[in-house]
Amino acid sequence: MESILVLTHADESGSALTKASLEAITAGLDLASRLSAPLTIGIVATDATNLSKGLPCAVLAVSGEAFAQPRYATDAVACEALCRAAQATIVLAPGSSRFARVAAAVAHRLNGLIDTHITAIGGTDTIEATRWFYRQRVEAVLTRDTRPWFLLLDAGTHAPFAAADAAQPALTEIAVELPALRTTVTGIRAPMQDAQTIRPDAKMLFVTGAGWTKKQPDGQTHVPEASDLILGFLRLTGASLGSSKSLVDQGGEGQSVLPFLTHLNQVGQTGATPRHAKGLSTCCHGEEPHVVGWRFIADRRAISLDPNCGWTRGKADVVYVADAFAVIAKVNELLTKGN
Ligand SMILES: Cc1cc2nc3c(=O)[nH]c(=O)nc-3n(C[C@H](O)[C@H](O)[C@H](O)COP(=O)(O)OP(=O)(O)OC[C@H]3O[C@@H](n4cnc5c(N)ncnc54)[C@H](O)[C@@H]3O)c2cc1C
């Protein structure tokens, strides 16, 4: 019989499990009930006592100050100890930067195998893990005989586990011998929240297209105004900022551009394929190489001046044929009043 372990870790505050960890717990619960297999949750954190409250099964923890922050040596030793203690044959873990860094090494230490970017786990007798290849064009279903089998789950593919109560499950601390520590984490240097425009956890994706920098009906460009409207909308909604390729490419062409956009914002065939509940495209034509990046956006809307744009040809659920400058200015005004 399989023995399933879900590896989780605390967020930066140390007081809660990350959302991606809670999603992995949901995946673990589904799989355990389908296979009628035992489930264990492993936690890597400074202190696992509060983090384990309300969890639906026995918990193993490796804790202490050394595990407060991501570091290869300590995270690898912690995950290895948890897998050995649980005698896990199937290990599910969030594909966070913290675990993505160590999971392959841990699988190797245990003579196991790993698959990453898993989006779904199916099967009743066997375990069938699904992932996409070739920029989300080919979906593959994988099965493996090797155990332990590590599956790193893509964020946003499962509902986060929500505890029904704060009951304390059985919690066992696993002692580990700390390896030689060559890396000291002195802190995290991150952009200000306002400057961080790519927000994978946001409910909405806000896409900007090249139209924002093009000549408008008055014959002029209005880039500073576009910049204010876009940043205002992001501040008021907390949306994540995506872009068409044409707009991010303009930086390389020496044209006047929106300085907060980089190629990391690009959505599409040669860009990202983010997952959000809703998407709003503005001043973007909706060509296929762009829209292919919207595969995982559930509700798609677009604002374009062109009634014949790609969005209106069946690619968006709702298209507003309107001037995005006017629409976003009005939306920002309403949101400001509502706040
Ligand atoms: C191999 C290959 C890979 C590619 N990969 C990608 C990719 O990953 N991502 C990507 O985005 N593209 C990609 N492209 C490019 C893609 O085909 C399009 O060229 C690009 O998406 C067009 O960007 P756009 O819609 O912003 O610009 P445009 O085509 O210039 O469209 C601008 C739109 O803005 C509208 N507009 C102007 N002013 C306003 C206003 N005031 N209000 C409302 N609407 C207004 C216009 O009517 C127009 O529809 C790829 C192309 C190739 C060949």
Side-chain angles (χ1 to χ4, degrees):
M1 178 188 294
E2 303 286 6
S3 167
I4 302 164
L5 172 68
V6 178
L7 289 174
T8 65
H9 61 83
D11 64 15
E12 280 163 22
S13 74
S15 59
L17 293 176
T18 59
K19 180 163 169 273
S21 293
L22 296 171
E23 290 183 21
I25 293 176
T26 301
L29 280 169
D30 287 352
L31 185 63
S33 93
R34 235 184 10 258
L35 301 179
S36 302
L39 174 70
T40 311
I41 293 172
I43 298 180
V44 181
T46 317
D47 183 350
T49 317
N50 280 334
L51 301 180
S52 61
K53 284 192 178 142
L55 293 186
C57 61
V59 175
L60 302 176
V62 172
S63 52
E65 268 313 312
F67 304 99
Q69 284 174 319
R71 172 173 35 213
Y72 178 87
T74 40
D75 283 344
V77 88
C79 291
E80 181 186 352
L82 291 169
C83 293
R84 290 193 191 281
Q87 298 188 331
T89 59
I90 300 293
V91 181
L92 307 184
S96 56
S97 58
R98 182 166 185 175
F99 277 172
R101 182 161 45 180
V102 296
V106 178
H108 181 68
R109 289 180 190 187
L110 295 165
N111 285 324
L113 282 177
I114 182 165
D115 285 288
T116 58
H117 292 293
I118 301 302
T119 52
I121 305 172
T124 38
D125 301 329
T126 54
I127 298 171
E128 296 171 356
T130 302
R131 67 157 290 174
W132 295 82
F133 287 97
Y134 191 45
R135 291 236 167 242
Q136 331 293 350
R137 284 207 198 81
V138 180
E139 191 180 27
V141 178
L142 313 169
T143 59
R144 286 193 190 274
D145 294 330
T146 305
R147 298 291 184 268
W149 187 18
F150 284 65
L151 298 170
L152 277 196
L153 305 173
D154 266 1
T157 53
H158 294 81
F161 169 77
D165 54 45
Q168 178 69 62
L171 171 62
T172 309
E173 290 285 343
I174 308 297
V176 295
E177 200 171 310
L178 280 184
L181 299 183
R182 288 183 307 174
T183 306
T184 307
V185 181
T186 55
I188 293 175
R189 219 185 280 173
M192 299 286 287
Q193 188 59 28
D194 274 5
Q196 182 60 273
T197 57
I198 299 173
R199 302 166 180 156
D201 285 341
K203 288 206 177 84
M204 190 187 0
L205 172 71
F206 181 67
V207 158
T208 49
W212 282 107
T213 59
K214 295 226 163 114
K215 280 188 183 163
Q216 293 301 307
D218 62 0
Q220 307 294 318
T221 61
H222 295 271
V223 178
E225 190 187 341
S227 174
D228 288 349
L229 288 171
I230 294 163
L231 289 176
F233 184 85
L234 294 177
R235 196 175 53 249
L236 289 161
T237 58
S240 185
L241 179 62
S243 177
S244 71
K245 180 166 163 38
S246 294
L247 185 51
V248 293
D249 277 355
Q250 285 181 17
E253 305 296 331
Q255 293 178 31
S256 179
V257 278
L258 303 168
F260 44 86
L261 278 172
T262 73
H263 279 95
L264 291 176
N265 294 95
Q266 184 185 319
V267 170
Q269 181 181 335
T270 44
T273 312
R275 289 168 196 272
H276 299 276
K278 294 182 177 187
L280 178 63
S281 154
T282 50
C283 297
C284 163
H285 192 70
E287 280 190 30
E288 186 57 24
H290 174 74
V291 180
V292 72
W294 283 59
R295 183 177 294 247
F296 300 122
I297 308 296
D299 181 335
R300 304 167 172 200
R301 297 188 180 205
I303 306 169
S304 176
L305 278 179
D306 183 359
N308 244 334
C309 71
W311 296 111
T312 55
R313 295 169 175 260
K315 289 178 183 158
D317 301 298
V318 178
V319 181
Y320 307 97
V321 179
D323 182 339
F325 280 84
V327 176
I328 297 301
K330 187 70 188 169
V331 170
N332 285 355
E333 184 192 318
L334 293 172
L335 287 169
T336 308
K337 274 187 198 152
N339 278 341

